[in-house]
Amino acid sequence: MAVVFEKTKMLTDAVFHYCPGCTHGVIHRLVAEVIEEMGLQEKAVGVAPVGCAVFAYNYFNCDMFEAAHGRAPAVATGIKRSRPDACVFTYQGDGDLASIGAAEIVHAAHRGEKITTIFVNNAIYGMTGGQMAPTTLVGQKTTTSPYGRDEAWCGKPIRVSEMLATIEGAAYIERVALNTNANIIKAKKAIRKAFECQMSGKGFAMVEVLSTCPTNWGLSPVEAMKWLEENMIPYYPLGVFKDKTKEGE
Amino acid sequence: MAQILMKGNEAIAEAAIRAGCRFFFGYPITPQTEVPEYMSARMPEIGGCYLQAESEVAAINMVYGAAGSGVRVMTSSSSPGVSLKQEGISYIAASELPCVVINVMRGGPGLGSIQASQGDYFQATKGGGHGDYHLIVLAPSSVQEAIDLMGTAFDLADKYRNPAMILADGIIGQMMEPVELPEMKEYKVDPEKKPWAATGWKPGDKKQRAVINSLYITTEELTELNERLQARYAEIEKNEARWETYNMDGAEFVIAAYGTVSRICKAAIDELKQEGINVGLVRPITLWPFPKQAVRDAVMADGVKACLTVELNAGQMVEDVRLAVNGAKPVEFFGHAGSLMPTAEEVKEQIKRMREE
Ligand SMILES: Cc1ncc(C[n+]2csc(CCOP(=O)(O)OP(=O)(O)O)c2C)c(N)n1
Ligand code: SF4
Ligand SMILES: [Mg+2]
């Protein structure tokens, strides 16, 4: 019998703990496939966040670290500086990266740290049960913004990709979504580019992936994807915000 | 080897390099700033890595990353900065990683002062961050001893897969003394000796892939980690207590002191001897493990009436001295919080007062 499809070897056989319809699982698979396709498994070192992806170290089939909440870019810096040939990536949520770890991500980008960051923006703190994140949309109800996010009180959501794109050391920044097959293919290409950027020594690279949290949004997986399309994509436009990989070509 | 004159902070930095440390992540803060300054000049000369982190929080997490790769790595700071490192130190201890942290203590609490202090004894020896863990804490009383303890700190950290701290007061960091430096040592990560380190892995490898982690989500697993840590701490307590005694023969009183304060106490002891008053000194070199037995033996020696603990704080180590003596003899405290160094004169007065009581 001919084998037509095989699961990537970059994922272990452990069963994902993610909720049904959560896009964390899709993102894991894309990252894992890219690492395998690029032949980087032996060099790969991942840093898991504190957030729903905290158990990522059980899923990615390579050397893995579990970082404190928000500190993954600093941990990745320590790994990369001590093993410059390694392929180091962080996988972080929006609370992790845009709130408690804002300083660490900004400075990793600013140093042009040769790491790849996968930034999973689901506009909420998933793991702790749906509190407001810095990326929560204005008017969006969460357990700590029960009347909807009030712009006058909490400010507007942070657009991380746009912010990091202003930093000199950032070499590749793209925002993607997983709402259509075409966009999933685009997301994988972006992730590949972000890893290529690291391995060719160009600098810091990040792919922001707009992601659903059906559980804490209180929507079915299908409704959640629709909500993402109608509410998140208009505020968080998809596209490439920085690309230094073309320079010198 | 010839003696050279060196400032404490610079000596600490050079000694770390000679112990094989090639990775340093830090952030400026008085009175330890000469450590990162020295490292920033020296590391590039020897192919090492000096990186100025954006904060002490980031610096200790960089240490976590490098320690997980198996290399010899350190960070250094002073009291307020060490407070910021506590989260990371707890993670490093729980992840069973070796590294060295320097705390050149300054006055506190809060922003405090930039003068010397011993105010972080509790923080250093009782954990500091969250959870049940211990650092191996070494307290030098001279620049030479700081140099010698750097090698010990890296060796013990590797041996026990546990973070080690050099707890120095600001005077040790700032003072210049004639010293002898050890030979330069290269440290190569040996995956056989550090099979847990993230040194690269592929399917089919004999060893398992590295997972550097401190999350143990079930009570069973977390209990197992804690039991493993506690067994290790018991082993460290059994093997690694270090101390010095001074003038114990025929002592009427025993002073317990560490770091720079112990030198002031030695001066007081020498002067008292001239006056015909015999006082001994017990100086813990490891603050954790605390040399309980040695302190107890010193205080319980025949002829010793009581113990005076002298510290540059409001009385912290004195609690461990009291636990060691366990009420068998009086243990008094003398010291100042707020960076005002106790003088030999004051120590002598205390002993004379105790003699009259
Ligand atoms: C220092 C610290 N503060 C708070 C927490 C609690 N906490 C765990 S996960 C989390 C939020 C995670 O949200 P996000 O990064 O958006 O990830 P998601 O779960 O949405 O994927 C928080 C606040 C923690 N573990 N550590
Ligand atoms: S809580 Fe939300 S982000 Fe977390 S696994 Fe469930 S759906 Fe995904
Ligand atoms: Mg989130």
Side-chain angles (χ1 to χ4, degrees), chain B residues 5-27:
Chain B
L5 199 59
M6 257 187 129
K7 192 173 191 168
N9 283 335
E10 296 181 348
I12 283 171
E14 181 62 31
I17 285 170
R18 293 190 183 214
C21 173
R22 292 293 176 276
F23 296 87
F24 179 90
F25 304 96
Y27 191 84

Side-chain angles (χ1 to χ4, degrees), chain A residues 41-42 54-55 57-58 60-66 68 71 74-75 77-79 81-83 103-104 107 111, chain B residues 23 49 51 54 57-58 61-62 64-66 68-69 71 87 91 198-203 209-213 215:
Chain A
Q41 184 162 12
E42 203 175 342
V54 69
F55 290 122
Y57 58 80
N58 284 334
F60 287 109
N61 200 15
C62 59
D63 283 348
M64 290 293 295
F65 285 64
E66 209 312 289
R71 317 297 178 219
V75 174
T77 298
I79 300 166
R81 298 290 176 139
S82 57
R83 287 184 57 206
E104 284 77 10
H107 284 273
R111 287 189 301 269
Chain B
F23 296 87
C49 163
L51 189 65
E54 60 269 31
V57 174
N61 282 285
M62 292 171 185
Y64 175 77
S69 307
V71 300
E87 177 200 44
Y91 275 70
T199 51
W201 178 85
K202 63 177 180 317
R209 71 190 176 89
V211 177
I212 309 290
N213 174 42
L215 177 63

Side-chain angles (χ1 to χ4, degrees), chain A residues 1 5 22-23 27 90 122 134 148 168 188 196 217 222 224 233:
Chain A
M1 221 173 22
F5 177 78
C22 173
T23 34
I27 303 167
T90 72
N122 56 10
E168 268 307 309
K188 187 169 172 182
E196 283 169 357
W217 293 356
V222 175
I233 295 179

Side-chain angles (χ1 to χ4, degrees), chain A residues 24 50-53 69 92-97 100 120 122 124-128 133, chain B residues 87 91:
Chain A
H24 265 302
V50 173
C52 278
H69 198 17
Q92 304 177 256
D94 45 336
D96 193 81
L97 181 145
I100 196 166
V120 181
N122 56 10
I124 206 154
Y125 284 12
M127 189 198 209
T128 38
Chain B
E87 177 200 44
Y91 275 70

Side-chain angles (χ1 to χ4, degrees), chain B residues 184-254:
Chain B
M184 179 68 95
K185 186 168 158 182
E186 291 296 331
Y187 181 83
K188 280 249 156 333
V189 183
D190 179 352
E192 299 275 310
K193 282 195 186 140
K194 290 186 171 176
W196 47 265
T199 51
W201 178 85
K202 63 177 180 317
D205 276 1
K206 249 195 247 139
K207 69 164 196 161
Q208 288 189 317
R209 71 190 176 89
V211 177
I212 309 290
N213 174 42
S214 64
L215 177 63
Y216 293 84
I217 201 78
T218 66
T219 48
E220 290 79 8
E221 287 171 305
L222 187 60
T223 302
E224 200 184 302
L225 167 76
N226 273 283
E227 283 172 359
R228 184 161 73 242
L229 291 179
Q230 292 303 321
R232 187 173 306 161
Y233 300 148
E235 193 67 11
I236 297 172
E237 287 198 284
K238 197 174 85 198
N239 299 336
E240 306 300 345
R242 288 165 167 75
W243 69 90
E244 181 203 18
T245 54
Y246 180 71
N247 199 49
M248 281 302 300
D249 276 353
E252 271 182 71
F253 292 94
V254 168

Side-chain angles (χ1 to χ4, degrees), chain A residues 73-140:
Chain A
V75 174
T77 298
I79 300 166
K80 187 72 180 189
R81 298 290 176 139
S82 57
R83 287 184 57 206
D85 295 334
C87 166
V88 183
F89 67 99
T90 72
Y91 185 106
Q92 304 177 256
D94 45 336
D96 193 81
L97 181 145
S99 189
I100 196 166
E104 284 77 10
I105 196 70
V106 163
H107 284 273
H110 151 73
R111 287 189 301 269
E113 212 60 62
K114 290 163 196 67
I115 61 171
T116 301
T117 290
I118 309 300
F119 170 38
V120 181
N121 179 0
N122 56 10
I124 206 154
Y125 284 12
M127 189 198 209
T128 38
Q131 295 76 32
M132 189 180 75
T135 43
T136 294
L137 297 177
V138 171
Q140 187 184 338

Side-chain angles (χ1 to χ4, degrees), chain A residues 95-217:
Chain A
D96 193 81
L97 181 145
S99 189
I100 196 166
E104 284 77 10
I105 196 70
V106 163
H107 284 273
H110 151 73
R111 287 189 301 269
E113 212 60 62
K114 290 163 196 67
I115 61 171
T116 301
T117 290
I118 309 300
F119 170 38
V120 181
N121 179 0
N122 56 10
I124 206 154
Y125 284 12
M127 189 198 209
T128 38
Q131 295 76 32
M132 189 180 75
T135 43
T136 294
L137 297 177
V138 171
Q140 187 184 338
K141 285 186 179 160
T142 69
T143 63
T144 53
S145 59
Y147 309 110
R149 184 188 182 124
D150 177 359
E151 180 189 330
W153 197 252
C154 311
K156 284 190 177 178
I158 298 181
R159 291 190 182 99
V160 172
S161 288
E162 286 84 339
M163 174 177 78
L164 293 186
T166 65
I167 294 176
E168 268 307 309
Y172 191 78
I173 308 280
E174 181 169 352
R175 183 184 289 123
V176 299
L178 308 169
N179 56 324
T180 62
N181 285 344
N183 274 350
I184 292 178
I185 291 167
K186 265 195 191 167
K188 187 169 172 182
K189 275 194 184 139
I191 292 168
R192 184 171 178 119
K193 216 151 183 202
F195 276 101
E196 283 169 357
C197 187
Q198 172 182 176
M199 297 320 285
S200 62
K202 293 250 161 43
F204 175 80
M206 184 187 80
V207 178
E208 173 175 350
V209 188
L210 300 184
S211 190
T212 57
C213 177
T215 300
N216 289 304
W217 293 356

